[in-house]
Amino acid sequence: MSATLRLALLLLAVAVCQGYQSNDIDEEDELVYEPSKYGSLWPLPQKVRVSEVSFKLPSASFKIVDAKESSAGPSCSLLQNAYRRYYEYMFGSVRKPGYVKSRAAGPSEISELQVWITSADSECDSYPSLTSDESYELTVDQPNAVLKASKVWGALRGLETFSQLVYEDAYGAKNINSTTISDFPRFAHRGILLDTSRHFLPIKVILANLEAMAMNKFNVFHWHIVDDPSFPYLSRTFPQLSQQGAYHPYTHVYTPADVKMIIEFARLRGIRVIPEFDTPGHTQSWGKGQKDLLTPCYSGTTPSGTFGPVNPILNTTYSFMRQLFSEISSVFPDAYVHLGGDEVDFSCWRSNPDIQNFMEQQGFGQDYSKLESFYIQKLLDIVTTTQKGYMIWQEVFDNGVKLKPDTLIHVWKGNQQQYKDEMANITSAGYHTLLSTPWYLNRISYGQDWQGVYRADPQDFKGTEAQKKLVIGGEACLWGEYVDATNLTPRLWPRASAVAERLWSAKEVTDISDAYSRLSMHRCRLVERGIPAEPLFTSFCPHEYKGV
Amino acid sequence: TTLLLLAVAVCQGYQSNDIDEEDELVYEPSKYGSLWPLPQKVRVSEVSFKLPSASFKIVDAKESSAGPSCSLLQNAYRRYYEYMFGSVRKPGYVKSRAAGPSEISELQVWITSADSECDSYPSLTSDESYELTVDQPNAVLKASKVWGALRGLETFSQLVYEDAYGAKNINSTTISDFPRFAHRGILLDTSRHFLPIKVILANLEAMAMNKFNVFHWHIVDDPSFPYLSRTFPQLSQQGAYHPYTHVYTPADVKMIIEFARLRGIRVIPEFDTPGHTQSWGKGQKDLLTPCYSGTTPSGTFGPVNPILNTTYSFMRQLFSEISSVFPDAYVHLGGDEVDFSCWRSNPDIQNFMEQQGFGQDYSKLESFYIQKLLDIVTTTQKGYMIWQEVFDNGVKLKPDTVVHVWMGNRVEEEMQNVTEAGYTTILSSPWYLDYISYGQDWQKYYKVEPLSFKGTEAQKKLVIGGEACLWGEYVDATNLTPRLWPRASAVAERLWSAKEVTDISDAYSRLSMHRCRLVERGIPAEPLFTSFCPHEYKGV
């Protein structure tokens, strides 16, 4: 590495963690900060060659432009929007724009990044999907930097990478090294679950976290939108659901316009929005606005006044679900919807004499998981008619429900051995799966827990190559019991960044010291871009967070 | 019924995806509404009055010894008016009118002592007691000093609630209140991560809302030295993370102290020596002990070098500056976690040990240093606080020394020993809030009883309070405030309210509402559990 680059990296670098203990603290892994040869790249691209030759970027006049040959032009607002965003990230903090008079690029400067979409269909106006091509190639050299991608999705990822290559020299000037990158994600599904039922999350918080997701190359926002405590989704078909079931019918709901805005904001960043409408459990708030939807629980021979899971024995239940999921399928453009299906408590069903009769009629005996499967089977049929694929929590598979071959099974339970066995079972049955168990980020502990998060690998289970291929990725989950607008963002970042690299970068990228160095710088970059990402350890950022 | 309207969400206690809870508390409105910390004596009646938002006044009582020139109070009136009525969208008619039959239009603040202490600094012996009567025609807040008035204003503001129409109401109430402990502190660490002024000020605001009265400013430590010393500017020039963007200038420090004073909060700086001083060495040559590997200096440094005269003349000058910059009667001198290995490696230190007849007992050398330091600080007319090791090592202390207990093991034994020796003490061991875990850990902090150790009544009296500590390894401007609040609020009630206030369900109810109040006032206090606030936090 050149002396200039090394100097520049040092200047960008966060503090050397000296490893002294404060008042009585016993650390786990004390990592010493040393600049990585990959600078602040996060997640690490698949193939990177950074040379020692560095170029200046003229802040005021630097341009991000469509390459002449590109299939996306000025009418592609997704890209135009991204150019503006990344210009701002790279040069927004420059105090005074220098002279902007037109001039030839100096011998050691790069004045343009050309973005070249090579496929005839850029997909500029489409929604991203599970099969979207996110690969790109980036060449930083004179006279211009060139970013080549088949589709706009790869261009978005490449713009983020390009912005991560830019660093400040000792004089505050923006520099970039001659670099060649060829990149693509290891897994196609890289998600974050946010829970807007246990605490309502203002739109602003959701948008900020979509921004942060894009900075980490996440591509799925799993929106756990409703659950027991509240129903903030304003349904056009059943407005009483949020009218009665939200924490507040006006201040704590997502209107159709809100949802549309979130989906578009996400699309512009190559992020899919997959809503979860979890049934038949986790539905207490649904019952407030929809009479007879939930099962009345009995104590002895009389109704106790409390309610259990969705009532699976009434026709009205299924006609309600048909209408609701018909609406959902048109409101949410993604090809998948998450149907939940986790943690169904059987005690209420068991207490109800009508349910007991139904069980007998159906010949289910005392096996209430059969009743659950009965319900889920009917629900899956309903959702299938809306032309959507579905994701479900692992219990649905465990209970032997018949699933469509393209079902995605979401693994969340158990200890390390248990979830590995589960992944093996699911894939040996031929289903696609994604992992969340090691990535329940709502669970916190003292110290650098990102390291444990970083070390988990979704393909680390016993199985054939074919089985491993059925693993489409994973999701970091931040359940809502203990987070709301006050603390969600710093609790999620940069801990979720550890998941981001595991899901994007090559399997072999496991050097924890190198990760510590890059992640420290990455988190300072998040902070500089306005995301309150918490510190990894004793350190400082050149630009500290400006909020409280 | 009115209290119900203020209430935050009923926590339904359902489990999310895989979570095993500890204590599932069910939210039920407390008869004490949202009062936090709970005053010593409260009587709330069912009679309620309206408060006319636009015309409501907080005024000096005619008999009060503090008048319009007391800017501490005038400032506080404005602040509390804003807290109580700031969210009211449109001011109603402000035309002068007689108070309606069921309204209270004025809070009169009456300082009864001839010296209101308006222009003084709060101290360990400040009188924070007050009496509050809310009844027609006016509410009256009586306090001997301004410090009690500040506490009473906070309490008054906590009695105000919104009815179903958004109107502000208050119930007829009588309160007589005073703190159980005189020293109720928060430690923030600005060395491991630099904290922007804005963050410190916001947390001083939150402290006042919780009746905390000490900001223990752990200002420097190993990683960085952000204090800009007039006498030794090279300390921060070399030792701060950045000499301009990551330092506290004299003006910053002054502003923080005044901001705190206006809220009845003392600022006690900690300059921890002889350990925890790596950053000092960068700007002050020969201050730290050179470590040796074998017979040659290794290039690394250990604690302050206790055998050089230059060390003590440096300390004399530095603490002379500190004593004038920080007005509080106490300074915290640290003295914790001294690592002897570097001293042991150094031949000059070895010789000195021999000369002094210390043998191989390096704690004697530590005591030698501390003793000299204490003498220096004594000449600056300051009292001092020290971490418990200094007492444990048998250093001779002035009788008014405050011994700060922080170690996690044998806490009660330590409190017993310290008080038996006749020293005053404060407790932090159970309140290291930098240690986080999943769930409602505030309950653990709340259940602590600082006087549970064995000892006489006289010994118990020597416990002057405690501090919640938020060490800085894992917190900075991005996450400090929500990590501290409302967890520190649990400590606040333990230190202010009567010993008998231990009902955890009642606390859960009041604390839930209190945290929503903090949020409404702009403090990003994190949630206790599944819930909502009428006004959610507006930031990210």
Side-chain angles (χ1 to χ4, degrees):
Chain A
M1 195 188 299
S2 76
T4 44
L5 176 58
R6 187 171 299 131
L7 173 65
L9 286 174
L10 277 166
L11 291 166
L12 245 185
V14 299
V16 174
C17 295
Q18 299 177 302
Y20 297 103
Q21 307 222 341
S22 88
N23 233 309
D24 109 331
I25 278 148
D26 51 328
E27 285 307 321
E28 345 151 280
D29 281 39
E30 291 252 331
L31 298 171
V32 175
Y33 179 85
E34 263 187 65
S36 163
K37 65 173 172 167
Y38 297 116
S40 65
L41 285 170
W42 194 276
L44 193 66
Q46 299 280 347
K47 288 174 204 155
V48 191
R49 274 197 38 192
V50 183
S51 107
E52 302 191 357
V53 180
S54 79
F55 307 112
K56 294 241 178 302
L57 300 177
S59 301
S61 63
F62 187 81
K63 290 208 165 43
I64 309 177
V65 296
D66 299 312
K68 266 204 312 281
E69 310 87 332
S70 180
S71 64
S75 67
C76 176
S77 61
L78 180 147
L79 281 184
Q80 300 303 323
N81 217 303
Y83 298 166
R84 193 173 55 188
R85 189 162 71 245
Y86 280 99
Y87 179 86
E88 188 67 26
Y89 288 158
M90 291 184 284
F91 305 111
S93 66
V94 173
R95 283 128 207 130
K96 292 173 195 165
Y99 263 70
V100 196
K101 65 176 174 186
S102 175
R103 56 189 171 119
S108 68
E109 92 176 30
I110 289 183
S111 58
E112 228 174 69
L113 169 62
Q114 298 181 350
V115 179
W116 180 0
I117 307 298
T118 58
S119 167
D121 177 9
S122 68
E123 298 187 2
C124 180
D125 298 311
S126 311
Y127 288 97
S129 75
L130 183 56
T131 56
S132 291
D133 184 351
E134 295 176 288
S135 66
Y136 66 92
E137 300 203 346
L138 178 62
T139 321
V140 180
D141 208 342
Q142 286 198 308
N144 293 311
V146 178
L147 169 60
K148 266 172 79 170
S150 172
K151 310 287 182 183
V152 291
W153 318 118
L156 289 172
R157 304 298 167 242
L159 282 165
E160 176 60 38
T161 301
F162 181 83
S163 74
Q164 296 189 356
L165 291 170
V166 177
Y167 58 92
E168 263 183 34
D169 68 17
Y171 305 96
K174 302 292 179 174
N175 282 251
I176 194 166
N177 280 38
S178 171
T179 304
T180 319
I181 287 177
S182 170
D183 200 13
F184 54 88
R186 179 177 169 208
F187 294 106
H189 185 116
R190 307 179 307 282
I192 296 278
L193 177 150
L194 298 182
D195 168 1
T196 57
S197 173
R198 291 182 176 80
H199 285 98
F200 179 79
L201 299 176
I203 306 284
K204 194 173 160 180
V205 173
I206 294 177
L207 299 185
N209 281 282
L210 287 167
E211 294 269 30
M213 284 172 66
M215 297 170 198
N216 287 277
K217 297 188 170 71
F218 275 108
N219 67 356
V220 174
F221 168 33
H222 174 164
W223 192 352
H224 189 84
I225 191 166
V226 297
D227 202 304
D228 285 324
S230 78
F231 196 103
Y233 173 74
L234 198 165
S235 160
R236 269 181 271 229
T237 320
F238 301 102
Q240 71 278 15
L241 288 170
S242 61
Q243 195 69 35
Q244 303 297 322
Y247 282 136
H248 188 283
Y250 300 115
T251 59
H252 289 65
V253 298
Y254 302 104
T255 67
D258 294 339
V259 172
K260 206 168 168 175
M261 200 242 281
I262 285 169
I263 292 169
E264 179 62 8
F265 192 93
R267 186 189 78 83
L268 291 174
R269 285 152 185 82
I271 298 171
R272 301 160 59 198
V273 178
I274 300 181
E276 177 181 353
F277 285 84
D278 190 357
T279 64
H282 289 281
T283 48
Q284 288 294 305
S285 68
W286 302 44
K288 296 185 183 168
Q290 187 65 18
K291 202 165 155 293
D292 296 337
L293 179 64
L294 303 186
T295 308
C297 314
Y298 277 66
S299 71
T301 56
T302 52
S304 69
T306 64
F307 294 88
V310 163
N311 192 333
I313 69 170
L314 300 180
N315 289 331
T316 51
T317 292
Y318 299 102
S319 72
F320 167 81
M321 291 297 172
R322 201 168 292 117
Q323 290 177 77
L324 180 67
F325 278 97
S326 161
E327 172 185 325
I328 290 165
S329 72
S330 71
V331 168
F332 294 91
D334 199 82
Y336 285 85
V337 58
H338 201 302
L339 300 176
D342 58 322
E343 296 185 314
V344 182
D345 178 10
F346 295 148
S347 59
C348 182
W349 279 349
R350 222 178 260 126
S351 77
N352 181 304
D354 298 331
I355 302 265
Q356 290 161 11
N357 287 339
F358 186 82
M359 291 283 288
E360 206 168 315
Q361 279 168 33
Q362 297 285 326
F364 290 165
Q366 288 303 305
D367 187 353
Y368 284 85
S369 75
K370 285 191 174 145
L371 181 60
E372 182 185 353
S373 296
F374 171 86
Y375 166 80
I376 295 270
Q377 197 64 65
K378 291 182 76 115
L379 180 69
L380 298 188
D381 293 345
I382 287 169
V383 173
T384 301
T385 66
T386 68
Q387 313 298 322
K388 293 284 186 194
Y390 41 77
M391 297 175 65
I392 39 97
W393 296 111
Q394 69 179 77
E395 285 99 317
V396 179
F397 167 81
D398 296 346
N399 289 341
V401 175
K402 200 179 138 219
L403 299 164
K404 280 195 300 178
D406 66 342
T407 302
L408 308 179
I409 297 166
H410 199 161
V411 174
W412 67 275
K413 287 170 79 164
N415 60 30
Q416 200 179 68
Q417 194 50 52
Q418 288 166 327
Y419 79 69
K420 287 180 180 178
D421 292 347
E422 180 79 5
M423 301 284 281
N425 291 341
I426 291 168
T427 53
S428 80
Y431 289 107
H432 288 94
T433 185
L434 69 162
L435 181 64
S436 278
T437 309
W439 297 324
Y440 265 39
L441 300 189
N442 50 305
R443 297 202 161 266
I444 53 170
S445 59
Y446 183 73
Q448 299 198 32
D449 61 358
W450 71 271
Q451 296 178 19
V453 167
Y454 189 75
R455 287 187 177 116
D457 191 298
Q459 287 177 326
D460 185 13
F461 61 87
K462 275 201 191 123
T464 62
E465 275 313 297
Q467 276 177 270
K468 303 291 172 85
K469 284 215 175 91
L470 291 169
V471 179
I472 59 161
E475 290 184 3
C477 299
L478 193 62
W479 295 98
E481 283 83 353
Y482 298 105
V483 290
D484 69 2
T486 63
N487 63 345
L488 182 142
T489 310
R491 186 155 299 180
L492 187 55
W493 308 105
R495 294 162 76 230
S497 302
V499 181
E501 177 148 303
R502 182 57 51 238
L503 293 174
W504 178 281
S505 304
K507 186 172 186 161
E508 297 70 33
V509 178
T510 54
D511 180 339
I512 200 96
S513 307
D514 188 70
Y516 179 66
S517 165
R518 288 182 292 110
L519 188 53
S520 295
M521 293 170 82
H522 179 57
R523 103 91 188 172
C524 283
R525 178 170 47 232
L526 294 173
V527 168
E528 195 173 349
R529 293 181 183 180
I531 306 295
E534 67 179 21
L536 297 176
F537 193 57
T538 304
S539 64
F540 76 102
C541 292
H543 305 271
E544 301 288 356
Y545 185 61
K546 295 283 182 285
V548 170
Chain B
T1 56
T2 41
L3 286 176
L4 275 167
L5 292 167
L6 246 184
V8 298
V10 173
C11 294
Q12 300 178 300
Y14 297 104
Q15 308 222 343
S16 89
N17 234 311
D18 109 328
I19 279 149
D20 49 328
E21 286 307 319
E22 346 151 275
D23 283 37
E24 290 251 333
L25 298 171
V26 175
Y27 179 86
E28 262 186 69
S30 162
K31 65 174 172 169
Y32 297 116
S34 66
L35 285 171
W36 194 277
L38 193 67
Q40 299 281 345
K41 288 176 204 153
V42 190
R43 274 198 38 193
V44 184
S45 106
E46 300 193 357
V47 180
S48 80
F49 307 112
K50 294 242 177 302
L51 299 178
S53 302
S55 62
F56 187 81
K57 291 209 164 40
I58 309 176
V59 296
D60 299 312
K62 265 204 313 282
E63 311 87 332
S64 179
S65 64
S69 66
C70 176
S71 62
L72 181 148
L73 281 184
Q74 299 304 322
N75 218 302
Y77 299 166
R78 193 173 56 186
R79 190 163 69 247
Y80 280 99
Y81 179 85
E82 189 67 26
Y83 288 157
M84 291 185 284
F85 305 112
S87 65
V88 174
R89 284 130 207 129
K90 291 172 196 167
Y93 262 70
V94 197
K95 65 177 176 185
S96 175
R97 58 193 169 114
S102 68
E103 92 175 32
I104 290 183
S105 59
E106 228 175 66
L107 169 62
Q108 298 181 350
V109 179
W110 180 359
I111 308 298
T112 57
S113 165
D115 178 8
S116 71
E117 298 186 4
C118 180
D119 297 311
S120 311
Y121 288 97
S123 75
L124 184 56
T125 56
S126 290
D127 183 351
E128 296 177 288
S129 67
Y130 66 93
E131 300 203 345
L132 178 63
T133 322
V134 179
D135 208 342
Q136 287 199 307
N138 293 312
V140 178
L141 169 59
K142 267 173 79 168
S144 171
K145 309 285 181 184
V146 290
W147 317 117
L150 289 173
R151 305 296 169 241
L153 282 165
E154 177 59 37
T155 302
F156 182 83
S157 76
Q158 296 188 357
L159 291 170
V160 176
Y161 58 91
E162 262 183 34
D163 67 17
Y165 305 97
K168 302 292 181 177
N169 282 251
I170 194 166
N171 281 34
S172 171
T173 304
T174 319
I175 287 178
S176 171
D177 200 14
F178 54 89
R180 181 176 171 208
F181 292 105
H183 184 116
R184 305 179 308 281
I186 296 278
L187 177 149
L188 298 181
D189 168 1
T190 57
S191 173
R192 290 180 177 80
H193 284 99
F194 179 79
L195 300 176
I197 306 285
K198 193 172 160 182
V199 172
I200 295 177
L201 299 185
N203 281 283
L204 287 168
E205 293 269 29
M207 284 172 67
M209 297 170 197
N210 287 277
K211 297 187 169 71
F212 275 108
N213 67 355
V214 175
F215 169 33
H216 174 163
W217 192 352
H218 189 85
I219 190 166
V220 298
D221 202 304
D222 285 325
S224 78
F225 196 104
Y227 173 75
L228 199 164
S229 161
R230 270 180 272 229
T231 320
F232 301 103
Q234 71 278 17
L235 287 170
S236 61
Q237 195 69 33
Q238 304 297 323
Y241 282 137
H242 188 283
Y244 301 115
T245 59
H246 289 65
V247 297
Y248 303 104
T249 66
D252 293 339
V253 172
K254 206 168 169 178
M255 200 241 282
I256 286 169
I257 292 169
E258 179 62 7
F259 193 93
R261 186 188 79 83
L262 290 175
R263 285 154 185 81
I265 298 170
R266 302 161 58 198
V267 177
I268 300 181
E270 176 180 352
F271 286 83
D272 190 356
T273 65
H276 289 280
T277 48
Q278 288 294 305
S279 68
W280 302 43
K282 295 185 182 168
Q284 187 65 17
K285 206 170 154 290
D286 296 336
L287 178 65
L288 303 186
T289 309
C291 315
Y292 278 65
S293 68
T295 55
T296 51
S298 68
T300 64
F301 294 88
V304 164
N305 193 334
I307 67 170
L308 300 180
N309 288 333
T310 51
T311 293
Y312 300 101
S313 73
F314 167 81
M315 292 295 173
R316 202 168 292 117
Q317 289 178 79
L318 181 66
F319 279 97
S320 160
E321 172 184 323
I322 290 166
S323 72
S324 72
V325 169
F326 293 91
D328 199 83
Y330 284 83
V331 58
H332 200 302
L333 299 176
D336 58 323
E337 297 185 314
V338 183
D339 178 10
F340 296 148
S341 58
C342 182
W343 279 349
R344 221 176 262 127
S345 77
N346 182 304
D348 298 331
I349 303 266
Q350 291 162 10
N351 287 340
F352 186 83
M353 292 282 289
E354 205 167 317
Q355 279 168 33
Q356 298 285 328
F358 291 164
Q360 287 303 305
D361 187 353
Y362 284 85
S363 73
K364 284 189 176 145
L365 181 59
E366 182 184 351
S367 296
F368 170 87
Y369 166 81
I370 295 268
Q371 196 65 65
K372 291 183 74 111
L373 180 68
L374 297 187
D375 292 345
I376 287 169
V377 173
T378 303
T379 67
T380 68
Q381 313 299 321
K382 294 284 185 195
Y384 40 78
M385 297 175 64
I386 38 93
W387 295 112
Q388 69 178 74
E389 286 98 316
V390 179
F391 166 81
D392 296 346
N393 289 340
V395 175
K396 200 180 137 220
L397 300 164
K398 281 194 299 179
D400 65 343
T401 301
V402 178
V403 179
H404 197 161
V405 175
W406 68 273
M407 288 177 140
N409 55 334
R410 297 194 287 190
V411 181
E412 299 198 348
E413 197 180 315
E414 182 76 7
M415 298 287 282
Q416 192 183 334
N417 292 343
V418 171
T419 54
E420 203 167 76
Y423 292 108
T424 49
T425 182
I426 62 170
L427 180 63
S428 279
S429 308
W431 294 321
Y432 266 38
L433 302 191
D434 48 323
Y435 285 110
I436 54 170
S437 59
Y438 185 70
Q440 299 197 33
D441 57 1
W442 70 272
Q443 296 180 21
K444 187 175 69 184
Y445 307 132
Y446 190 76
K447 287 172 181 158
V448 172
E449 169 45 56
L451 302 188
S452 61
F453 63 91
K454 269 196 204 134
T456 62
E457 274 313 297
Q459 276 177 268
K460 304 291 171 91
K461 285 218 175 86
L462 290 169
V463 180
I464 58 166
E467 290 184 1
C469 300
L470 192 61
W471 295 99
E473 282 84 351
Y474 298 105
V475 290
D476 69 1
T478 63
N479 63 344
L480 182 142
T481 310
R483 186 155 298 179
L484 187 54
W485 308 103
R487 294 161 75 229
S489 303
V491 182
E493 177 149 303
R494 184 54 52 235
L495 294 175
W496 178 281
S497 304
K499 186 174 183 170
E500 297 71 33
V501 178
T502 54
D503 179 339
I504 198 94
S505 306
D506 189 70
Y508 179 64
S509 165
R510 288 182 292 111
L511 187 54
S512 295
M513 293 168 81
H514 179 57
R515 102 90 189 174
C516 283
R517 177 169 48 231
L518 294 173
V519 168
E520 196 172 348
R521 293 180 183 182
I523 306 295
E526 67 179 21
L528 296 176
F529 193 56
T530 304
S531 63
F532 76 102
C533 293
H535 304 271
E536 302 288 357
Y537 185 60
K538 295 282 183 283
V540 169

